[in-house]
């Protein structure tokens, strides 16, 4: 069986969220409709932004899940991405720190969805 994983993130405005994630990922969508936009993250992995499923998503509502973007380059790359995102005004929930799996930090998109950056295993 061939399988792929699509991580779906609920957002208030899919096109606005796509501009945000496109800038973060330095990527363009691979699929677009007015309320559903997807990014190809590599073999077997996609990130989809879906609006219209919930009304008025608020960044103030606690989130219990995260999107985790793993990067090559170790601690230096994680710190460089943190500096870049911070300069773009992206909401930082947790500054870089060392965890059991390596250097990491936590950010949030405009809808309050959590985005973790960590080193690739």
């Amino acid at each position: 069986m061939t399988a792929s994983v699509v991580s779906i993130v609920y957002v208030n405005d899919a096109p606005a969220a796509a501009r945000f994630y496109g800038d973060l990922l330095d990527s363009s969508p691979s699929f677009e409709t007015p309320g559903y936009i997807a990014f190809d993250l590599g073999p077997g992995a996609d990130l989809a932004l879906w609006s219209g499923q919930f009304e008025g998503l608020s960044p103030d509502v606690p989130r219990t899940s995260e999107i985790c973007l793993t990067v090559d380059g170790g601690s230096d790359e994680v710190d460089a991405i943190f500096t870049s995102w911070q300069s773009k005004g992206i909401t930082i929930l947790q500054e870089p720190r060392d965890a059991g799996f390596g250097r990491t930090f936590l950010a949030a998109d405009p809808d309050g969805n959590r985005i973790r950056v960590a080193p690739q295993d």
Side-chain angles (χ1 to χ4, degrees):
M1 172 173 93
T2 302
S4 62
V5 175
V6 178
S7 296
I8 298 174
V9 177
Y10 298 115
V11 297
N12 284 306
D13 181 337
R19 288 188 296 276
F20 174 85
Y21 280 94
D23 183 47
L24 286 188
L25 300 170
D26 193 26
S27 179
S28 297
S30 57
F31 179 83
E32 290 185 68
T33 67
Y36 184 90
I37 301 173
F39 290 86
D40 180 358
L41 300 178
D46 292 300
L47 172 65
L49 309 168
W50 197 0
S51 61
Q53 296 307 299
F54 299 97
E55 296 303 320
L57 292 171
S58 170
D60 299 329
V61 175
R63 301 302 203 271
T64 58
S65 63
E66 302 173 350
I67 300 162
C68 185
L69 302 176
T70 59
V71 297
D72 288 327
S75 298
D76 291 341
E77 182 65 14
V78 171
D79 288 341
I81 293 169
F82 169 77
T83 300
S84 172
W85 288 15
Q86 197 174 39
S87 73
K88 293 177 182 186
I90 293 169
T91 301
I92 302 297
L93 301 176
Q94 183 182 75
E95 294 199 2
R97 66 181 184 88
D98 294 322
F101 49 84
R103 191 99 170 134
T104 186
F105 73 91
L106 187 63
D109 73 10
D111 292 301
N113 298 301
R114 302 172 124 210
I115 308 163
R116 180 167 301 281
V117 175
Q120 219 166 29
D121 292 340

